[in-house]
Amino acid sequence: MAVPAGSPAVTAVRTGLVRQAMIGREAVIGYRGKGVVRVALAGKGSRVIVVGGDRYRWTVAPDDEPGLAVVVAHAQGDGQRLVVWVEHGVVIAPGLVAGLIREALVRHGWTPRSRRRQLTLRSPDANPDPARPALVPWPPAQ
């Protein structure tokens, strides 16, 4: 959800030319006249997990369809975000999140420290294996 930097719906703290605000669970920095830049997940409402020596922040966004969205970002920057859709009813525990992160890094080319377009994947299993969850690109290629 991109919100213009001058939107009255955003409660913000202004420091110089930078406007910082919270929209849902995302930290947003808007530069006057240049729109909105999304950065790392907010500390409040997200959890920290360490995988392979790197710290990540993650949260679950219950967006309804096509399931629950597990949103992951590197804790130290505004790099590429990972969104993994899982089926309703899946227990999303830290072990599963760690498995999702490992699979995205190894098999899907996720680069959490590089500024790139969000990587969106889906777990087709109703009961994914936390150690090695199967992930496919989402939406599927047509």
Side-chain angles (χ1 to χ4, degrees), residues 74-120:
H74 198 275
Q76 292 182 342
D78 62 346
Q80 184 180 31
R81 289 183 0 163
L82 170 67
V83 176
V84 179
W85 290 95
V86 297
E87 297 292 329
H88 289 285
V90 171
V91 176
I92 302 172
L96 176 60
V97 175
L100 297 174
I101 292 169
R102 280 191 293 272
E103 286 296 303
L105 288 168
V106 172
R107 291 184 171 43
H108 295 279
W110 181 41
T111 54
R113 291 182 182 231
S114 299
R115 294 192 73 176
R116 294 177 61 191
R117 191 174 181 179
Q118 171 178 295
L119 176 62
T120 306

Side-chain angles (χ1 to χ4, degrees), residues 3-142:
V3 176
S7 172
V10 175
T11 305
V13 176
R14 289 189 179 164
T15 50
L17 295 176
V18 178
R19 184 173 194 189
Q20 298 180 344
M22 292 301 300
I23 299 176
R25 291 183 175 163
E26 291 184 334
V28 174
I29 297 178
Y31 296 92
R32 209 176 283 172
K34 294 188 180 178
V36 172
V37 178
R38 294 176 189 267
V39 293
L41 289 175
K44 186 173 182 177
S46 65
R47 298 180 67 182
V48 174
I49 189 167
V50 178
V51 177
D54 283 323
R55 290 171 46 100
Y56 300 92
R57 287 206 162 277
W58 67 277
T59 191
V60 178
D63 286 337
D64 195 34
E65 288 303 323
L68 300 172
V70 179
V71 182
V72 183
H74 198 275
Q76 292 182 342
D78 62 346
Q80 184 180 31
R81 289 183 0 163
L82 170 67
V83 176
V84 179
W85 290 95
V86 297
E87 297 292 329
H88 289 285
V90 171
V91 176
I92 302 172
L96 176 60
V97 175
L100 297 174
I101 292 169
R102 280 191 293 272
E103 286 296 303
L105 288 168
V106 172
R107 291 184 171 43
H108 295 279
W110 181 41
T111 54
R113 291 182 182 231
S114 299
R115 294 192 73 176
R116 294 177 61 191
R117 191 174 181 179
Q118 171 178 295
L119 176 62
T120 306
L121 304 171
R122 179 164 176 81
S123 175
D125 300 332
N127 191 15
D129 176 14
R132 195 142 182 226
L135 298 177
V136 295
W138 189 260
Q142 302 205 12

